[in-house]
Amino acid sequence: MRGETSPVPRWRDADLEARCTYVVKDQPPARPHLPRTQASLGRTLAFPRSHTSEVYAPGAQLHHVLDTRDLRCRDWMRYINPAPGTAAQNLVACQHDRNICFYALAPILPGAELLMWPGREVAQRLQCPALAAKLAQPQRPTSRLALQLDAVNLSMPKTPRPGALPPKKQSSRPKYECNICAKTFGQLSNLKVHLRVHSGERPFQCPICKKRFTQLAHLQKHRLVHTGEKPHECLVCHKRFSSTSNLKTHLRLHSGEKPYQCPLCPGRFTQQVHLRLHRRLHELERRHRCPHLHPLSLALHQRACHPRVPGATHDFGLEGERADASQAAGLADSLPQRGAERGTPGLLLMDKASGSALLPLPRYGLPVKQEASPMQPA
DNA sequence: CTGGGGAAGGGGCCC
DNA sequence: TGGGCCCCTTCCCCA
Ligand SMILES: [Zn+2]
Ligand SMILES: [Zn+2]
Ligand SMILES: [Zn+2]
């Protein structure tokens, strides 16, 4: 794609192998009930050869051993991100005997990311185009979490390392850090509550349905579903809601506020989830778009920006487009390699210049399920 | 199928 | 410290 702009890797596959870099398979998260902040990272490393993983400190000193069957231990490895190039790389995965080891190429300061550079060739060999594309970008990949080296310790006793920086206290206020996910909190009690997301502890149980909650406030809110109580009333339409958040969302209907704007078209939405779904349509459209076509499908634009009025039969502005599209759909249906995505006739590709229908790009007729990760639009 | 509205759960901040 | 509150998210349903 734009490999020309990428930093020229000095290590090729052969180099990686020569240096014993072991490529671990990137798998979807094994536990769907992970906290979202973690699950969204979508990185779980599998260790096919061994049940232990040794972590080495700089100087090749064995730091500690992880049992990779233990998900709590394995999870931290998801924080290892692909480095944009060898310059940023500070971590190397290697195979030692039958164990997977990581060692630091450079000092890893608190707050630094763990960046491993698998190499573009490796990414391609793993058939991971997203990673390959990431590696092809000049800027560093955006990582949502910077892993503190201390977080690696997990349940290990904290032995102060010589040369280790003092515990987090930037900006005078002491910070309490979760040593599992490195999130920091201003108050210890907040950290304690937070730790329940890792431990799974749910101390508060509903006496009626036995459902358990991590926080008392959640249980109290939950009680309303049994009592049917809706304490929050919309003063405009007098509809009642069980929570302030839901009321607030509802109030946008009256105020007309639509905070979530599509960056690709003038469409706006009251709820983020609606924007997300809408953007997925753009994404699908983009994948099926012929490079010659105008970037915005008029059909999609029309739907988002000029929503149908209830009772109205159709939007006139779109009618001509629709005619084109349905014509094209009929044409395309007789052509090979269509049919998987039939649900979007309005988006069917017409080359405006030639007036002819365009075939989808080769092999773009993948199952729609594959669409699941449109790169999480900030 | 898309857009839109609501119910409910969950995480974190603040007093 | 922890309860209250806010925000965000997911899921579901309906037009
Ligand atoms: Zn944590
Ligand atoms: Zn209950
Ligand atoms: Zn109202």
Side-chain angles (χ1 to χ4, degrees):
Chain A
M1 320 182 173
R2 25 188 173 137
E4 305 79 23
T5 61
S6 69
V8 179
R10 281 169 298 179
W11 286 12
R12 307 179 66 79
D13 266 5
D15 298 313
L16 286 162
E17 280 163 20
R19 298 178 200 215
C20 301
T21 296
Y22 186 80
V23 178
V24 291
K25 217 172 146 191
D26 200 0
Q27 291 190 334
R31 295 186 300 162
H33 62 282
L34 272 175
R36 280 186 296 274
T37 47
Q38 295 180 36
S40 66
L41 292 173
R43 301 186 63 78
T44 298
L45 301 176
F47 299 85
R49 301 210 176 199
S50 162
H51 290 311
T52 61
S53 209
E54 299 174 7
V55 178
Y56 285 83
Q61 226 179 343
L62 179 61
H63 193 266
H64 64 275
V65 178
L66 292 176
D67 183 349
T68 54
R69 288 168 299 186
D70 183 344
L71 286 172
R72 284 175 311 146
C73 294
R74 198 171 66 179
D75 271 354
W76 69 267
M77 292 176 184
R78 71 183 57 239
Y79 302 129
I80 297 174
N81 286 303
T86 53
Q89 177 183 18
N90 58 17
L91 205 65
V92 171
C94 65
Q95 184 177 356
H96 177 258
D97 199 7
R98 294 169 62 85
N99 295 324
I100 309 306
C101 313
F102 293 88
Y103 65 86
L105 272 181
I108 301 174
L109 299 174
E113 285 178 293
L114 298 179
L115 294 173
M116 190 174 69
W117 184 71
R120 217 182 319 165
E121 295 170 35
V122 172
Q124 261 144 20
R125 198 178 59 199
L126 290 175
Q127 296 184 318
C128 179
L131 180 56
K134 239 180 190 175
L135 290 169
Q137 284 167 6
Q139 71 272 40
R140 66 204 293 275
T142 53
S143 121
R144 276 148 280 214
L145 281 173
L147 177 65
Q148 303 291 324
L149 191 57
D150 275 350
V152 173
N153 280 336
L154 291 172
S155 54
M156 300 287 291
K158 282 211 173 179
T159 49
R161 293 183 307 280
L165 294 176
K168 285 203 119 130
K169 62 165 106 165
Q170 53 211 35
S171 78
S172 77
R173 189 170 289 184
K175 291 259 184 178
Y176 299 91
E177 177 179 349
C178 171
N179 63 6
I180 295 178
C181 71
K183 204 162 271 176
T184 58
F185 300 87
Q187 284 165 348
L188 183 58
S189 57
N190 291 336
L191 171 59
K192 283 181 178 174
V193 172
H194 162 80
L195 283 173
R196 293 181 191 143
V197 313
H198 299 304
S199 67
E201 185 198 7
R202 288 166 172 262
F204 306 98
Q205 183 171 30
C206 171
I208 298 173
C209 69
K210 308 301 177 197
K211 196 171 279 199
R212 308 191 72 102
F213 299 87
T214 57
Q215 298 182 35
L216 178 61
H218 293 161
L219 171 59
Q220 288 167 339
K221 202 166 75 170
H222 165 78
R223 284 215 177 99
L224 301 181
V225 315
H226 295 305
T227 64
E229 198 182 341
K230 297 187 172 184
H232 308 280
E233 179 183 2
C234 170
L235 296 179
V236 180
C237 69
H238 302 291
K239 203 174 191 333
R240 304 192 71 93
F241 298 86
S242 59
S243 80
T244 51
S245 313
N246 293 340
L247 171 59
K248 192 175 175 184
T249 304
H250 165 84
L251 284 173
R252 293 190 189 130
L253 307 181
H254 298 304
S255 69
E257 185 199 6
K258 295 187 174 182
Y260 303 100
Q261 165 146 37
C262 176
L264 300 176
C265 80
R268 303 187 74 103
F269 303 88
T270 57
Q271 294 188 35
Q272 194 179 28
V273 64
H274 298 150
L275 172 59
R276 205 172 300 153
L277 290 170
H278 171 84
R279 291 198 66 175
R280 214 158 71 181
L281 296 180
H282 279 307
E283 176 64 18
L284 286 174
E285 183 194 28
R286 190 186 62 79
R287 291 188 196 182
H288 296 187
R289 191 197 311 143
C290 169
H292 304 112
L293 195 65
H294 189 274
L296 264 188
S297 148
L298 279 177
L300 184 56
H301 163 88
Q302 196 77 23
R303 223 173 290 148
C305 311
H306 312 283
R308 233 164 302 180
V309 181
T313 51
H314 42 242
D315 299 317
F316 290 106
L318 194 52
E319 206 48 35
E321 281 308 311
R322 277 221 193 103
D324 279 0
S326 50
Q327 264 183 349
L331 177 58
D333 270 340
S334 65
L335 293 169
Q337 295 202 356
R338 265 210 78 76
E341 59 279 321
R342 203 164 303 217
T344 55
L347 304 184
L348 192 78
L349 313 172
M350 281 295 287
D351 187 337
K352 292 289 160 39
S354 69
S356 61
L358 298 163
L359 280 177
L361 293 176
R363 289 270 54 84
Y364 268 35
L366 292 170
V368 191
K369 293 164 205 122
Q370 295 268 334
E371 125 305 329
S373 60
M375 283 295 281
Q376 182 64 10

